[in-house]
Amino acid sequence: MLSCSLLTVAPALMCGAQTSKPAASDDTPRLERRGQATQLIVDGQPFLMLGGELHNSSSSSVAYMKPVWPRLAAMHMNTVLLPVAWETIEPEEGKFDFSVVDGLLEGARANNLKLVILWFGAWKNTFSSYAPGWVKTNIARFPRVQTSDGRDTERLSPFSTAVRDADARAFAKLMRHLRDVDGERHTVLMVQVENEVGVIPQSRDHSEVANAAFTADVPQTLMTYVEKHRSLLNPEFRAAWEEAGAKTRGTWQEVFGKTPLTDDLFMAWHYATYVERVAAAGKSEYPLPMYVNAALIRPNYEPGQYNSGGPLPHSMDVWRAGAPSLDFISPDIYFNEFAYWASEYARPGNPLFIPETQGGVTGAANVLYAVGREQAIGFSPFGVDDLGNSPLDLVGITNPGERFDNAAVGSMYLTLSRLEPLVLKGQETGALSAAVLEGDAQRAARTFVGEYIANVARAGAPSGARVGVLFIQTGANEFLVVGSGDAMVTFTADTPGPAIVGIESIDEEFFENGAWTSHRRLNGDENSQGQALRLHASDVTEGRIYRVRLYRYK
Ligand code: DGJ
């Protein structure tokens, strides 16, 4: 066995706690502003995360994962998002076991995949089902969120310092272990802290300590943030504050009004400051990019019907003020209004990353929009290890319409991985744009492409399928076009000068022997005699893209 002093990166288990802390390499994965986009930098290079998230319990077993890894690699994803549960690494208090984590790293590396680890600590979808037994069963030491009639729920309370400190300690151990065993290899690229936090079924915790915090003044840190960022605040959040008189001190209800939204903002602050302590403890061991994910709101739901206190658009400022160690806040987008939700989270200082979303044809279209319109750093449909016998089916949760279709997203990932350098450069220089048609009711959309406007309209028989189109500008008048779905694209002018736009040429291209290669030049019926670019649903699985050259005349 190597002695500790000979190891550049000494495994903690091998060398014990007295080992001096090896520095993470300078190349630790990080976020960096490059031109017009914030990008994930891995080994010094921008990285486009073409990901997929596993079902919740798949990664609790190295044996279960064995046949899954090659299937994931065959879907052309480059990153797998998988949970590591608190109960897995600390089954007994203070006794850590990283054998499952190490097995997951090994499986990922053997299949050339990167990982994002989801820390299922105190909370998973508001509940605390992944906390260790010694935490769950000791309610006196680790108190729960309580309802207004004094009943405990199966949710650990974010107001408990005992919960927070135990969670933070375990998370810090995990991050230290990752630094020790992966600080040079960079298999793990980012970490999600907790999962879809918030409280239900009521809008806030009613435990004694929570009640006392609710009637205390809003913390000064939050008030200072609100005043300093007034013009940039989320409009709903700002309106709540201003309608209550834009006060700079007072209790939560004095500052934000006597509404259910105030309960939500109050819980958001306490979840955020809790998560801050956990994330900061982890980052002090190994500073990988960290984020939280949000369960979004259904129309007309009230706080408590949805996860009250979760990182939603209206509470994003509270989260940013309370959890500065987080690098960004992410939406889990299962709703059809993908473009709307993506834009709510792609805000200055908050790069878009979508850790959970629909797969299938819908996902194949949405990924184009996310990377092309919102400069997303990554995209990840949920349940990618699903072979059609999801445990969710057994309890009637899975909607068959949301089933992940390996073929569509896998094929789109293959095309995007082949275009990756152009896509990443395009995000940096502003050479990308994209459009999406969200269901049959949306017949058309338009987007700027260089000095032109691309008008995207549905074509073919109504199918209900989503259409996505990505444009990559490769010259003043030249674009690569990647489509998902049946659509017609026409081009018009956006700037002064000759107003009519003609199509000089359209070439279909396929990736062959390491390069994009032209096949047919489409001049006749295929492009409406030079009037439009026709995209086909089959382009995705056939790996076809188009090179379009435009010109102008009077
Ligand atoms: C959202 C959660 O974050 C996931 O862990 C998983 O439970 C999915 N919902 C199931 O659809």
Side-chain angles (χ1 to χ4, degrees):
M1 185 195 275
L2 287 170
S3 81
C4 289
S5 58
L6 290 179
L7 291 168
T8 0
V9 179
L13 285 179
M14 207 185 279
C15 300
Q18 71 277 25
T19 329
S20 69
K21 178 170 156 180
S25 76
D26 286 348
D27 256 356
T28 299
R30 63 183 187 279
L31 296 182
E32 195 174 287
R33 187 78 191 168
R34 296 212 168 173
Q36 299 185 23
T38 297
Q39 297 184 315
L40 175 64
I41 308 297
V42 178
D43 297 326
Q45 300 299 323
F47 183 88
L48 181 65
M49 192 176 281
L50 303 173
E53 183 167 322
L54 300 185
H55 281 294
N56 297 157
S57 301
S58 312
S59 54
S60 64
S61 160
V62 173
Y64 178 90
M65 284 302 297
K66 203 160 183 235
V68 173
W69 292 115
R71 288 210 316 266
L72 302 175
M75 287 162 58
H76 309 293
M77 53 183 61
N78 57 26
T79 308
V80 178
L81 283 71
L82 52 76
V84 168
W86 185 1
E87 66 176 350
T88 305
I89 65 160
E90 195 182 7
E92 272 182 67
E93 185 168 9
K95 294 205 173 129
F96 288 88
D97 177 353
F98 292 109
S99 51
V100 171
V101 173
D102 292 343
L104 296 172
L105 287 171
E106 209 177 290
R109 288 171 183 165
N111 288 277
N112 207 17
L113 289 160
K114 300 290 189 184
L115 295 177
V116 171
I117 283 186
L118 318 175
W119 172 239
F120 282 11
W123 300 293
K124 191 314 180 161
N125 296 35
T126 82
F127 287 104
S128 300
S129 49
Y130 284 89
W134 55 269
V135 173
K136 279 185 196 167
T137 52
N138 194 344
I139 298 181
R141 182 173 162 207
F142 300 112
R144 306 294 183 83
V145 166
Q146 288 186 336
T147 53
S148 50
D149 57 4
R151 277 178 298 126
D152 283 332
T153 67
E154 296 212 67
R155 300 172 180 89
L156 292 161
S157 171
F159 294 89
S160 162
T161 50
V163 174
R164 184 197 68 198
D165 293 348
D167 190 353
R169 240 186 336 265
F171 184 63
K173 287 276 189 199
L174 171 64
M175 294 309 295
R176 168 180 275 252
H177 183 75
L178 290 179
R179 182 203 66 204
D180 288 346
V181 300
D182 196 48
E184 298 287 330
R185 294 282 297 266
H186 307 146
T187 311
V188 181
L189 303 183
M190 305 201 294
V191 178
Q192 178 185 295
V193 188
E194 315 291 345
N195 190 80
E196 291 194 350
V197 302
V199 61
I200 42 180
Q202 293 182 334
S203 51
R204 70 173 179 87
D205 185 352
H206 289 271
S207 61
E208 217 172 286
V209 51
N211 288 342
F214 191 61
T215 51
D217 276 3
V218 175
Q220 195 51 48
T221 317
L222 178 55
M223 290 311 341
T224 305
Y225 178 99
V226 168
E227 283 183 86
K228 195 165 155 210
H229 297 87
R230 185 170 187 155
S231 63
L232 297 171
L233 296 175
N234 167 273
E236 195 184 338
F237 176 63
R238 180 173 167 174
W241 177 53
E242 291 183 344
E243 278 163 23
K247 297 185 190 75
T248 54
R249 67 172 298 179
T251 65
W252 288 87
Q253 289 192 329
E254 285 164 356
V255 172
F256 295 110
K258 278 193 180 171
T259 66
L261 179 66
T262 296
D263 290 6
D264 180 339
L265 300 174
F266 165 73
M267 289 308 297
W269 175 259
H270 288 283
Y271 279 113
T273 49
Y274 176 112
V275 165
E276 170 61 20
R277 293 290 283 265
V278 176
K283 278 201 165 180
S284 74
E285 295 294 346
Y286 186 29
L288 287 178
M290 293 186 189
Y291 69 95
V292 285
N293 62 332
L296 302 179
I297 318 179
R298 289 176 198 282
N300 305 319
Y301 269 35
E302 290 288 324
Q305 283 179 293
Y306 65 80
N307 299 17
S308 184
L312 287 158
H314 60 246
S315 56
M316 206 185 275
D317 291 300
V318 177
W319 273 87
R320 290 175 72 165
S325 292
L326 295 178
D327 295 271
F328 54 88
I329 293 170
S330 282
D332 291 343
I333 311 182
Y334 290 95
F335 297 145
N336 288 331
E337 299 74 22
F338 182 86
Y340 165 76
W341 288 109
S343 71
E344 286 288 290
Y345 282 82
R347 289 180 45 180
N350 198 67
L352 182 64
F353 174 66
I354 303 157
E356 291 182 43
T357 190
Q358 292 163 281
V361 171
T362 304
N366 286 342
V367 65
L368 296 178
Y369 188 84
V371 302
R373 180 69 81 92
E374 300 291 8
Q375 282 77 45
I377 61 175
F379 185 88
S380 163
F382 181 77
V384 287
D385 49 326
D386 206 338
L387 272 184
N389 53 356
S390 160
L392 295 180
D393 291 339
L394 302 176
V395 288
I397 293 177
T398 310
N399 170 359
E402 290 174 3
R403 192 168 280 305
F404 188 77
D405 169 356
N406 293 346
V409 172
S411 301
M412 185 52 82
Y413 276 5
L414 179 60
T415 296
L416 284 175
S417 61
R418 290 165 166 173
L419 289 165
E420 188 182 339
L422 280 176
V423 169
L424 287 164
K425 204 31 144 185
Q427 287 186 333
E428 183 183 333
T429 61
L432 305 186
S433 61
V436 70
L437 302 179
E438 305 192 300
D440 276 340
Q442 189 185 352
R443 303 297 306 165
R446 59 202 328 238
T447 184
F448 292 99
V449 290
E451 294 190 348
Y452 300 92
I453 294 173
N455 307 281
V456 180
R458 284 189 176 280
S463 63
R466 176 168 299 241
V467 171
V469 192
L470 168 68
F471 300 89
I472 306 172
Q473 187 165 16
T474 47
N477 303 300
E478 186 187 274
F479 304 88
L480 293 180
V481 184
V482 187
S484 172
D486 283 301
M488 278 288 192
V489 185
T490 54
F491 297 92
T492 47
D494 176 47
T495 49
I500 306 177
V501 176
I503 293 178
E504 182 190 320
S505 59
I506 297 177
D507 295 308
E508 65 173 359
E509 294 195 358
F510 295 89
F511 197 77
E512 289 167 351
N513 305 319
W516 288 98
T517 310
S518 293
H519 280 213
R520 292 176 299 168
R521 171 153 288 193
L522 306 172
N523 276 339
D525 294 340
E526 302 82 8
N527 75 352
S528 300
Q529 333 308 325
Q531 302 304 295
L533 165 66
R534 174 70 156 91
L535 302 172
H536 300 273
S538 59
D539 292 341
V540 180
T541 42
E542 289 171 13
R544 182 191 290 106
I545 67 169
Y546 301 90
R547 187 177 298 271
V548 179
R549 292 191 187 88
L550 304 176
Y551 68 100
R552 289 160 177 263
Y553 61 99
K554 283 194 206 158

